[in-house]
Amino acid sequence: MYEHDQGEKRNSSIVDIILVIGLLILIMFAGQLVSALSNAIGDVWARVALIAVVIIAAGLVYLYRLDRYRYMFYHQDGGQIYDERFGEMVDVVYDEPYGTFIVKRGVADKGKEKLRIALDEMVALAPPEGKAEYCALPTMRCTKGFAKSAHLLVYERDGERRAVLFHPDGILAGHIEAKLRERAQAPE
């Protein structure tokens, strides 16, 4: 299985510093903001406005920094690995069938499954510059990045072609393309 977490590629140090500085400024001036607003709109409404701003800021930080997509592709059919606990080779058994592509959305290691595509449903993987021929398909967006730079995985389910827009790294895209070529070359 190969797993790619979309959030890992972000250069977050500058954004994190800006967020921390912004939150510190908000905390330092919260009292002054409330007293300035209380003169204008009243004490109760000033506190409600401050609480609303804090909740909105926390929600934006969650959406921007913590919420992310994880892509998993089962490109191997098990095998054996050395397990130090037993001091011998053990069989690897995956929970998903060979060639399954899964998209999860969530925080850290927890996530809710958004999409599952079997290998026999996959039609094509279109790179950012080759998506034009699939633009009319119903598309599920599974990325927080720009659509212009995303890949498009085309699949067919229930007689209808659909697509998913996502940002794989080079390794994940290579595994999917290899499995699609392998399946196309296999005798039926």
Side-chain angles (χ1 to χ4, degrees):
M1 175 185 77
Y2 182 76
E3 185 173 338
H4 171 64
D5 190 339
Q6 187 184 11
E8 290 177 355
K9 70 177 183 175
R10 295 187 212 173
N11 183 2
S12 62
S13 59
I14 294 173
V15 174
D16 288 344
I17 290 171
I18 291 170
L19 284 172
V20 168
I21 290 171
L23 289 173
L24 287 174
I25 290 171
L26 181 66
I27 290 169
M28 288 180 353
F29 294 111
Q32 294 174 355
L33 288 171
V34 169
S35 55
L37 283 174
S38 65
N39 292 336
I41 61 174
D43 193 38
V44 172
W45 291 109
R47 291 176 195 266
V48 169
L50 182 65
I51 291 171
V53 166
V54 169
I55 290 172
I56 290 170
L60 290 174
V61 167
Y62 170 79
L63 287 175
Y64 184 73
R65 297 298 305 150
L66 301 176
D67 185 36
R68 60 180 61 164
Y69 286 96
R70 176 173 287 130
Y71 314 119
M72 293 172 276
F73 186 59
Y74 292 84
H75 66 95
Q76 295 174 331
D77 201 14
Q80 288 193 328
I81 61 168
Y82 180 75
D83 192 339
E84 294 177 8
R85 298 174 296 172
F86 304 112
E88 61 184 35
M89 299 297 282
V90 294
D91 291 329
V92 176
V93 179
Y94 292 119
D95 297 336
E96 300 298 330
Y98 173 75
T100 302
F101 176 70
I102 298 174
V103 177
K104 289 186 176 183
R105 182 176 183 179
V107 178
D109 290 337
K110 296 179 171 74
K112 186 174 185 177
E113 188 175 305
K114 298 278 291 176
L115 182 66
R116 177 185 302 256
I117 303 171
L119 181 60
D120 60 346
E121 295 176 316
M122 293 181 195
V123 175
L125 178 67
E129 60 278 355
K131 296 185 296 197
E133 67 182 279
Y134 303 111
C135 65
L137 294 176
T139 303
M140 175 186 270
R141 185 183 177 107
C142 292
T143 182
K144 292 199 161 218
F146 295 111
K148 187 176 184 179
S149 63
H151 283 65
L152 198 65
L153 179 60
V154 180
Y155 62 100
E156 190 168 334
R157 184 174 291 162
D158 301 327
E160 181 183 354
R161 280 201 175 178
R162 302 174 187 167
V164 60
L165 192 68
F166 71 114
H167 274 95
D169 63 352
I171 297 170
L172 178 58
H175 285 314
I176 294 173
E177 288 171 349
K179 295 306 166 207
L180 287 171
R181 277 193 308 272
E182 179 182 302
R183 191 186 72 194
Q185 294 172 354
E188 291 184 27

